[in-house]
């Protein structure tokens, strides 16, 4: 076991430092690693969506009596849940028990008169609360607790990691600190629901669904909010009504392709958000991208939002990742750490470019866990064989079927520690034959690369596509170098384990520090590449330890 607090003294108990009580209201799907989600993805989505429809967002005065505020709102119906948070002002998220309460509140709400400016009337669920008379400072103002919506600073993270008891504890700590909280998850579904209200002005009965890391259980506090405008639900209503020999169709405008239809829909919704969407700022229509989207900031929640349409496969990918994340408690801890490691070394970026994406990294971790012996995660093909008729799902001709009932999947018999998995992950990808092999989670084994992109990761559903086509050779090389260096650091630590503490960051914390290999390779450009030397060192350490164990056994 690691000595406690090798680097810094721990303020208070570890539990207090982690703010564990803050997580206590977490529901099963956002809870800590020991409460892995077991609810079906579709159930979670349905419940959350319905909850969001009964919820309102209120910009409050900075000084407010929580008790009076709740009493005032209770006139419209009972309140299930509420919380406050700060983001350029004080906001309250209030969930009523009944949807009708929202309408009741809207009925007593007025459109503001703004003096010289004019307001565009829009009856949303995002309100602004004003006080007719300021509060009596001493008696009425209560100190309400604001829920934090951002991830810990690097300094706090280092403190927490250095105070952990083991590498396993470090990985779980990182997960606990960075995962979306219950409140942040609510705010994400609420934001989608508010955007749906705006889009419904054009497309009544449309649905705006979150996807990507907001819902796949790999989201980190502060990650973007991917949402997609689902117009398929409208189609479903109409097919149900067809009866007898008659078939009624809407008169519509036709356009030459699905892509053009998507662009036109997103264009008007983008305009709508820009002109009428309360709190939607910086709206950019990026319609010529491979996957057209509207990007904007939702000021009140602080989320950077990407709205797409016609994107069912991406939602299905989110469901698949959600399943993988829930199958074994080590998956999320490992993915969070690898994502964090990649971000710390600028392997990933918030700007699109030739870098690896978080989505690709997650698929690489899943693949690695499928390759363990015995496997920690099943292959996608195996999940397909467990599917029943209800699970069948074909999207745009692609077979996206896999089992969705967790009870039908046997837990893994593999008991490897996170520490070992982390080290092996770096070794595995530090030595992977990227030049000839493709990563394939459908079959759970390497395949020959069908094309020459430096990194080839097969898209799990659109199997002819490569999800990492954008990655350049130099970015891939940087990934390999850093993976080798990280494996080396962890090996070195194993060797030093019994030596006295030298007050250095250790384990995961050491891996998040600036790279030695990069600075070495800059300083000694003419020598063998740093990564080659690290690879050789690693190999010598390994053969040393085999020799040692042979010697001992002998
Ligand atoms: P972060 O936003 O970085 O936290 O992760 P994310 O998983 O949300 O990634 P991102 O916002 O880039 O993409 C959102 C979702 O779109 C992903 O979760 C995938 O489901 C899907 N997606 C992203 N990139 C690709 C890709 O290259 N191919 C395919 N098929 N889907 C992708
Ligand atoms: Mg995202």
């Amino acid at each position: 076991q690691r000595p406690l607090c090798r680097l810094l003294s721990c303020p208070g108990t570890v539990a207090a430092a982690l703010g564990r009580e803050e997580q206590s209201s977490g529901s099963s799907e956002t809870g800590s690693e020991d409460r892995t989600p077991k609810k079906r993805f579709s159930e979670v989505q349905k419940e959350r969506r319905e909850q969001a429809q009964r919820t309102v967002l209120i910009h409050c005065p900075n000084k407010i009596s929580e008790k009076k505020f709740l009493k005032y709102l209770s006139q419209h119906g009972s309140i299930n849940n509420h919380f406050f948070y700060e983001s350029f002002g004080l906001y309250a998220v209030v969930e009523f028990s009944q949807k009708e309460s929202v309408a009741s509140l809207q009925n007593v709400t007025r459109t503001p008169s703004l003096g010289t400016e004019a307001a565009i009337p829009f009856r949303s669920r995002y309100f602004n609360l004003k006080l007719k008379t300021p509060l009596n400072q001493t008696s009425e103002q209560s100190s309400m607790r604001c829920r934090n919506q951002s991830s810990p600073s690097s300094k706090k993270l280092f403190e927490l990691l250095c105070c952990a008891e083991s590498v396993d504890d470090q990985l779980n700590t990182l997960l606990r600190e960075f995962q979306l909280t219950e409140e942040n998850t609510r705010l994400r579904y609420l934001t989608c629901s508010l955007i749906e209200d705006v889009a419904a002005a054009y497309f009544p009965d449309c649905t705006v669904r979150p996807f990507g890391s907001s819902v796949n259980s790999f989201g980190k506090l502060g990650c973007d909010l991917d949402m997609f405008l689902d117009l398929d639900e409208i189609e479903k209503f109409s097919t149900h009504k067809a009866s007898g020999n008659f078939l009624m169709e809407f008169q519509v405008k036709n356009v030459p392709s699905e892509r053009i239809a998507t662009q036109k829909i997103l264009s008007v919704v983008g305009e709508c958000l820009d002109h009428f969407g309360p709190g939607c700022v910086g709206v950019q229509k990026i319609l010529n991208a491979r996957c057209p989207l509207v990007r904007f900031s939702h000021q009140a929640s602080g989320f950077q939002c990407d709205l797409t349409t016609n994107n069912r496969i991406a939602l299905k990918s989110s469901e698949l990742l959600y399943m993988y994340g829930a199958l074994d408690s080590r998956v999320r801890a490992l993915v969070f750490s690898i994502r964090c490691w990649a971000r710390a070394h600028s392997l990933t970026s918030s700007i699109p470019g030739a870098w690896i994406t978080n989505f690709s990294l997650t698929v690489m971790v899943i693949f690695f866990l499928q390759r363990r012996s015995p496997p920690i995660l099943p292959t996608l093909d195996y999940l397909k064989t467990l599917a029943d008729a209800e699970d069948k799902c074909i999207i745009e001709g692609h077979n996206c079927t896999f089992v969705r009932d967790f009870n039908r999947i046997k837990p893994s018999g593999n008991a490897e520690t996170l520490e070992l998995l982390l080290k092996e992950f770096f070794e595995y990808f530090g030595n992977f034959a990227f030049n000839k092999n493709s990563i394939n989670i459908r079959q759970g084994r390497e395949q020959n690369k069908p094309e020459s992109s430096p990194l080839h990761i097969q898209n799990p559903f659109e199997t002819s596509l490569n999800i990492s086509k954008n990655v350049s050779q130099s970015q891939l090389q940087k990934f390999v170098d850093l993976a080798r260096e990280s494996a080396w650091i962890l090996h070195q630590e194993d060797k030093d384990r019994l030596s006295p503490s030298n007050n250095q960051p250790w384990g995961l914390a050491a891996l998040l520090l600036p790279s030695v290999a990069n600075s070495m390779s800059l300083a000694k450009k003419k020598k063998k590449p740093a990564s080659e030397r690290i690879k050789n060192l690693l190999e010598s350490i390994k053969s040393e330890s085999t020799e040692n164990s042979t010697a001992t056994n002998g």
Side-chain angles (χ1 to χ4, degrees), residues 7 18 20 37 96 104 171 186 191 196 209 282-283 324 350 388 398 439 445 458 517 527:
L7 181 64
L18 295 177
R20 269 187 195 148
F96 286 104
S104 164
L171 269 76
R186 281 171 180 261
T191 305
E196 185 180 296
R209 302 180 190 282
V283 179
Y324 276 127
S350 52
D388 63 15
H398 301 285
I439 291 163
R445 56 168 189 258
Q458 191 196 55
K527 283 199 172 174

Side-chain angles (χ1 to χ4, degrees), residues 302-315:
F303 296 136
Q304 163 84 31
C305 304
D306 278 351
L307 176 71
T308 54
T309 187
N310 194 14
N311 208 358
R312 281 203 158 259
I313 293 194
L315 187 66

Side-chain angles (χ1 to χ4, degrees), residues 177-325:
E177 286 294 303
F178 280 93
Q179 71 184 348
L180 302 183
T181 58
E182 163 67 15
E183 290 77 20
N184 198 266
T185 303
R186 281 171 180 261
L187 196 51
R188 284 171 190 268
Y189 279 87
L190 174 60
T191 305
C192 286
S193 187
L194 295 175
I195 300 305
E196 185 180 296
D197 289 352
V198 179
Y202 267 108
F203 302 104
D205 303 319
C206 72
T207 310
V208 172
R209 302 180 190 282
F211 71 100
S213 57
S214 299
V215 298
N216 66 16
S217 80
F218 297 105
K220 163 175 169 276
L221 283 171
C223 69
D224 68 353
L225 173 54
D226 304 291
M227 38 175 100
F228 102 98
L229 176 68
D230 188 355
L231 303 173
D232 284 356
E233 290 290 312
I234 303 173
E235 298 262 308
K236 273 187 205 153
F237 291 139
S238 51
T239 46
H240 286 162
K241 283 180 192 146
S243 66
N245 198 26
F246 290 109
L247 179 67
M248 198 73 94
E249 284 184 342
F250 286 109
Q251 283 282 351
V252 289
K253 282 214 169 189
N254 291 336
V255 289
S257 69
E258 195 69 48
R259 180 174 168 84
I260 295 176
T262 299
Q263 288 169 329
K264 287 193 182 284
I265 292 165
L266 284 178
S267 178
V268 292
V269 174
E271 289 289 310
C272 219
L273 289 173
D274 197 13
H275 295 310
F276 313 124
C280 301
V281 297
V283 179
Q284 299 170 58
K285 296 195 271 179
I286 310 172
L287 303 179
N288 287 325
R290 190 184 60 81
C291 182
L293 74 141
V294 173
R295 177 165 288 173
F296 60 96
S297 296
H298 190 255
Q299 244 180 349
S301 60
F303 296 136
Q304 163 84 31
C305 304
D306 278 351
L307 176 71
T308 54
T309 187
N310 194 14
N311 208 358
R312 281 203 158 259
I313 293 194
L315 187 66
K316 203 66 192 169
S317 308
S318 306
E319 180 168 13
L320 180 67
L321 295 196
Y322 170 87
M323 284 222 60
Y324 276 127

